[in-house]
Amino acid sequence: MSDDQLSQLKRAVTALKEARAKLEAVERARTEPIAVIGMACRFPGADSLTTFWQLLKNRVDAIREAPADRWDNDDLFDPNPDTPGKVASRWGGFIDQPDQFDPQFFGISPREAAGMDPQQRLLLEVAWEALDDAGQVVERLAGSRTGVFVGIHSHSSDYFLMQAADPACMDIYTGTGTAHNVVSGRLSYLFDLQGPNVAVDTACSSSLVAAHLAVQSLRAAECNLALAGGVNVMLSPHFTIAASRMRMLAPDGRCKTFDALADGFVRGEGCGVVVLKRLSDALADGDRIYAVIRGSAINQDGHTNGLTAPNGLSQQSVIRLALANAGVEADQIGYVETHGTGTPLGDPIEVEALAGVVGPPRADGLPCVIGSVKSNIGHLEGASGIAGLMKAALTLHHQTIPANLHFQQLNPHINLDGTRLVVASDERVWLPGETRRLAGVSSFGWSGTNAHVILEEAEPASVLPRNGDDDQRPYLLPLSARSARALKVMAQSYCQFLANTPLSLDDICYTTARRRTQHDHRLVVAGRTRDELIEQLAAFTRGEERIGLASGQAVARRGGVVFVCPGQGSQWVGMGRQLLAHNPTFRQAIDRCQAALAPFVEWSLIDQLTTDHARLDDIAVIQPTLFAIQVALAAIWQALGVQPDAVIGHSLGEVAAAHIAGALSLDDAARIICTRSQLMKRLSGHGAMAVVELSRAEAQAALQGYEERLAVAVSNGPRSTVLSGDPATLQEVIARLQSQDVFCRLVKVDVAAHSPQMETLRPELVAALAEMRPQPASIPVYSTVEPT
């Protein structure tokens, strides 16, 4: 083979490898797992994620009679489902006060808020809470490719019907206030989210289809973060009357899923939202992960024996599609959150479909448990799928499968013999011995659209233990709210939270500082222990003022943040020692500085910071040390989210400022600070400096006749100036000024910095720094020498 042929062959092999790598990257993106990093809800009997899990764990039945603010049961109820204009069930899963809303929180006028469907209001509140739970600061999402996918049932238009009853009540806000597409669109509009925005209506499967579309969008890189959810509010009895005629409703208002007495479902309302992110991004960002979506699928029943009749073969098909998309075997599924409406027709068809896919027995005998959240909170229609997904995610997160309510005896039309399917009649610890916990979630729409999602438990997060608080370090806990009253309520809730949570103070303080939106009304408390923080919060709620507690309202317009890097003179033995021992960001920055200084010094930066015999008087040691501390302190502030709008430095601090601003690499900055301080050390013992209480002009006048031996080194303020130069001459000038009652104080240095004495070092310093490669600063940096 000739050299030319060999070269062509090598190029061909390289091209094949590159093509294979591209194909593998495409496949990875197509199937990348999606992390559930935040959740929030308003469900019957549960106004938060915590109370929702408690409801499931405690076997709470949240169904009740329709409240008087919805409709009059005494007037509308008739047990005969054939009675026109009547409801055949008095029951429902209702949330409290759906009419309550804080429009100012979202910048909405009271008039526009009055025209908004409560479903829009509810979704805004729950979406905000979900983002908050995910540690996503809303302001930082503005302009981002964040997607919004919301399931909403076409029959949930009660608010429009109520307004249409009196056309005179309609105004300019009626259209946008009641349009289903605006339910999702308003959320993106208010938060300035610029990713895909879709309102989904596939009837009862709407919100799980929305979750599927969000997963697809994230994998296609259409968005980098996605909110998926569903909302349903029952304001009028209209659809309940229609459902009564169709004999869909259980007369006793209970979803008796899989039970022999199953005779229909009970309608429910509420809202649930999950925050989704590609798993690789979630891990890189340090997000808390409830569960991981491995795959999902949707399909359609097609032609069945009736428009609303379920199709078992289609249900099997969608589950198999989801398993294939997830790369998961059917026998790995340990729990299925079923559609489970409790209807005589639907339950047997669904269980039969499950038995055909995930039901075959395993060799180790491990079961696949089935349950339905509808037995707790009713059928939330357009929001039912997201409720099931959230229950499954919490089940994986807590490794516990809650009991399925109202199950006494298996429906005789359901046959579990020869399968591994088991109804969750009691709470079960998740499959002991199972090495990989996986769950499925099903949701079916009466129009024929089916959805299935495969969830997997997240890898255990490394959580700092609560007993890590015992080191007595000071902690700052910042809280904020939109009003003074809300801030007080938040402080009260944090008192209880701190007392009961297993999380460490490190985790809590980090989250409140970096992973929460900072509103205008603010509070910060300081303490060394959990009890001290609780006491400070309690003092605030009592209106007390004390050390370690500060509160106030942010100004409408803030000035910029400036990092100031000072010169020599502020050093002390032990500086930075606690930060070095307890702050990883500070330690990492110091380690980088030590590596950058190493080629130019014969001493250890770490030793200098940890010894009780620090060389504070050695200018060639203390200046590089102060430089490193300034760089490390800037790293701490930036890690906490405090980004400077500008940087300024004085003397040695100008070198640190140039590096922080990005104008100098760390290696170049280390070369400058070491070379400069080593050259200055040659002049030790030949100079002195003093602070005088004079303006710059007055100080220059006082030095007339001494210009060759003294100079104005620093102008610190209107009446604070530093003189520098020959020690004997400086003493003479000081004596004269003190006789005129001018305050003077010698600075503890033996070098005349910023004086004509330094000119002798210029040629050698310039030559040593010839290899510097400065670059444009990424942050504005201002000089204290040249006018700006």
Side-chain angles (χ1 to χ4, degrees):
M1 182 180 294
S2 67
D3 290 344
D4 184 56
Q5 290 174 321
L6 183 61
S7 178
Q8 290 180 5
L9 182 60
K10 288 181 178 179
R11 286 197 297 272
V13 171
T14 301
L16 283 172
K17 289 181 178 178
E18 291 176 352
R20 179 180 295 175
K22 290 179 180 178
L23 286 172
E24 290 175 350
V26 169
E27 181 62 20
R28 282 195 301 273
R30 188 184 70 82
T31 60
E32 176 163 12
I34 303 300
V36 181
I37 64 170
M39 298 193 289
C41 64
R42 200 86 82 252
F43 292 148
D47 59 2
S48 68
L49 201 62
T50 300
T51 53
F52 181 44
W53 178 246
Q54 291 172 346
L55 176 147
L56 295 171
K57 279 273 295 176
N58 296 332
R59 306 180 65 144
V60 174
D61 181 349
I63 304 305
R64 55 177 168 149
E65 288 198 30
D69 62 354
R70 305 306 178 88
W71 56 80
D72 186 350
N73 256 329
D74 292 336
D75 179 58
L76 282 174
F77 175 71
D78 190 310
N80 182 0
D82 293 323
T83 305
K86 298 295 183 178
V87 297
S89 174
R90 306 174 65 92
W91 308 92
F94 295 94
I95 61 174
D96 293 324
Q97 298 179 315
D99 59 325
Q100 297 300 299
F101 182 61
D102 182 1
Q104 292 182 344
F105 185 92
F106 296 100
I108 298 172
S109 70
R111 183 182 175 191
E112 184 173 9
M116 289 170 57
D117 189 325
Q119 293 179 122
Q120 291 190 19
R121 309 176 203 166
L122 187 59
L123 180 68
L124 286 178
E125 293 176 341
V126 175
W128 179 282
E129 292 169 8
L131 287 169
D132 198 49
D133 183 64
Q136 302 297 306
V137 179
V138 173
E139 286 86 347
R140 296 180 199 158
L141 295 178
S144 68
R145 287 191 301 163
T146 297
V148 177
F149 303 84
V150 178
I152 183 165
H153 200 314
S154 61
H155 282 295
S156 55
S157 53
D158 292 350
Y159 199 64
F160 178 78
L161 294 175
M162 293 168 69
Q163 296 200 37
D166 184 2
C169 293
M170 292 187 174
D171 61 15
I172 60 173
Y173 296 117
T174 300
T176 56
T178 57
H180 281 171
N181 43 53
V182 178
V183 170
S184 60
R186 190 186 294 274
L187 202 160
S188 291
Y189 166 73
L190 288 177
F191 296 166
D192 191 18
L193 311 178
Q194 297 180 12
N197 186 289
V198 181
V200 180
D201 181 6
T202 59
C204 305
S205 59
S206 298
S207 55
L208 202 64
V209 171
H212 165 78
L213 295 176
V215 169
Q216 299 293 83
S217 183
L218 284 164
R219 286 175 167 174
E222 292 177 334
C223 58
N224 297 321
L225 188 77
L227 287 83
V231 62
N232 185 51
V233 176
M234 303 181 295
L235 299 178
S236 81
H238 294 111
F239 186 63
T240 305
I241 294 172
S244 297
R245 297 293 78 70
M246 299 176 74
R247 286 176 163 77
M248 291 180 170
L249 303 181
D252 63 356
R254 301 299 181 267
C255 284
K256 299 176 282 293
T257 309
F258 313 130
D259 192 77
L261 297 179
D263 53 0
F265 63 83
V266 58
R267 296 189 69 205
E269 66 181 6
C271 180
V273 175
V274 298
V275 182
L276 307 177
K277 186 185 284 190
R278 288 183 288 272
L279 180 60
S280 57
D281 293 337
L283 293 173
D285 295 340
D287 295 315
R288 182 265 320 279
I289 301 173
Y290 286 105
V292 174
I293 297 177
R294 302 295 307 193
S296 62
I298 59 175
N299 73 355
Q300 233 284 341
D301 284 342
H303 185 75
T304 63
N305 61 355
L307 174 63
T308 63
N311 185 326
L313 293 178
S314 294
Q315 292 178 15
Q316 287 191 27
S317 176
V318 78
I319 296 170
R320 289 194 174 97
L321 286 170
L323 290 167
N325 184 257
V328 169
E329 298 297 328
D331 66 355
Q332 292 179 286
I333 302 299
Y335 174 71
V336 176
E337 173 61 26
T338 65
H339 188 58
T341 55
T343 58
L345 176 66
D347 285 0
I349 291 175
E350 181 173 10
V351 175
E352 184 179 0
L354 285 171
V357 182
V358 301
R362 284 174 41 151
D364 58 12
L366 286 175
C368 177
V369 183
I370 57 176
S372 173
V373 71
K374 295 177 180 65
S375 66
N376 297 92
I377 61 176
H379 189 348
L380 271 54
E381 297 162 5
S384 63
I386 206 69
L389 188 148
M390 292 175 64
K391 176 189 171 184
L394 289 172
T395 295
L396 288 164
H397 185 65
H398 293 285
Q399 298 183 10
T400 302
I401 300 173
N404 190 78
L405 302 190
H406 314 305
F407 178 76
Q408 301 294 328
Q409 183 177 353
L410 187 66
N411 187 323
H413 299 293
I414 296 176
N415 183 12
L416 299 183
D417 294 339
T419 77
R420 65 187 187 99
L421 299 181
V422 176
V423 178
S425 54
D426 293 297
E427 178 180 291
R428 304 170 70 102
V429 175
W430 186 287
L431 303 180
E434 185 65 87
T435 57
R436 187 183 184 192
R437 296 180 177 91
L438 290 147
V441 183
S442 288
S443 194
F444 312 132
W446 70 347
S447 63
T449 299
N450 308 307
H452 195 81
V453 173
I454 304 297
L455 290 173
E456 182 178 18
E457 69 174 332
E459 292 292 331
S462 55
V463 178
L464 294 173
R466 177 168 172 163
N467 58 17
D469 305 340
D470 297 337
D471 52 20
Q472 297 288 300
R473 285 184 288 127
Y475 292 92
L476 287 177
L477 178 68
L479 303 177
S480 69
R482 286 287 177 92
S483 68
R485 179 178 175 276
L487 185 61
K488 184 175 181 180
V489 172
M490 178 174 283
Q492 291 171 333
S493 68
Y494 262 82
C495 286
Q496 298 175 355
F497 172 69
L498 287 170
N500 298 313
T501 181
L503 295 175
S504 72
L505 293 181
D506 276 318
D507 279 341
I508 296 167
C509 293
Y510 165 80
T511 300
T512 56
R514 291 287 290 120
R515 292 296 192 107
R516 292 290 182 267
T517 297
Q518 302 302 316
H519 303 293
D520 287 347
H521 291 266
R522 300 180 181 179
L523 164 69
V524 61
V525 295
R528 292 183 177 275
T529 66
R530 191 174 297 259
D531 289 341
E532 284 185 14
L533 291 177
I534 292 172
E535 174 53 32
Q536 294 282 53
L537 291 170
F540 170 73
T541 64
R542 296 191 296 266
E544 298 177 11
E545 295 184 4
R546 55 169 63 188
I547 295 173
L549 184 160
S551 65
Q553 187 172 358
V555 294
R557 181 181 177 184
R558 71 176 183 87
V561 174
V562 179
F563 284 2
V564 180
C565 302
Q568 185 178 342
S570 58
Q571 64 270 16
W572 72 92
V573 174
M575 59 182 176
R577 193 173 297 176
Q578 284 188 318
L579 287 172
L580 192 68
H582 300 292
N583 190 294
T585 301
F586 185 86
R587 177 64 191 233
Q588 291 164 9
I590 290 295
D591 287 341
R592 290 194 295 270
C593 288
Q594 176 161 276
L597 296 172
F600 310 106
V601 301
E602 296 179 353
W603 46 271
S604 164
L605 174 61
I606 302 294
D607 290 347
Q608 174 70 10
L609 294 175
T610 54
T611 182
D612 290 332
H613 305 286
R615 294 155 63 181
L616 300 184
D617 297 328
D618 189 334
I619 195 170
V621 175
I622 196 58
Q623 288 202 359
T625 300
L626 291 172
F627 159 82
I629 288 178
Q630 291 169 7
V631 169
L633 288 174
I636 290 178
W637 285 113
Q638 289 173 310
L640 292 173
V642 181
Q643 298 295 336
D645 297 294
V647 186
I648 191 170
H650 164 61
S651 188
L652 75 91
E654 286 207 277
V655 183
H659 168 63
I660 294 166
L664 288 176
S665 69
L666 184 57
D667 290 339
D668 280 356
R671 179 186 293 273
I672 293 174
I673 197 67
C674 291
T675 303
R676 176 182 183 271
S677 61
Q678 289 162 7
L679 289 174
M680 290 179 68
K681 185 176 180 179
R682 296 182 188 176
L683 302 178
S684 293
H686 300 286
M689 303 177 75
V691 179
V692 296
E693 192 178 9
L694 297 173
S695 68
R696 182 174 181 176
E698 291 169 341
Q700 287 174 330
L703 296 185
Q704 288 183 2
Y706 301 98
E707 289 86 352
E708 293 184 359
R709 288 170 289 168
L710 296 176
V712 173
V714 183
S715 176
N716 285 327
R719 302 290 297 173
S720 178
T721 306
V722 178
L723 308 180
S724 178
D726 175 68
T729 307
L730 184 60
Q731 286 286 5
E732 181 180 337
V733 171
I734 288 175
R736 177 162 52 84
L737 292 173
Q738 287 177 332
S739 69
Q740 299 169 6
D741 292 329
V742 175
F743 171 80
C744 303
R745 178 175 60 81
L746 284 170
V747 179
K748 293 181 180 180
V749 296
D750 62 353
V751 174
H754 313 293
S755 79
Q757 286 189 16
M758 299 294 106
E759 291 301 316
T760 60
L761 305 177
R762 178 188 292 271
E764 194 170 350
L765 179 62
V766 171
L769 303 182
E771 297 181 2
M772 296 295 97
R773 295 291 181 269
Q775 52 201 19
S778 57
I779 303 171
V781 57
Y782 293 91
S783 171
T784 54
V785 177
E786 299 295 332
T788 58

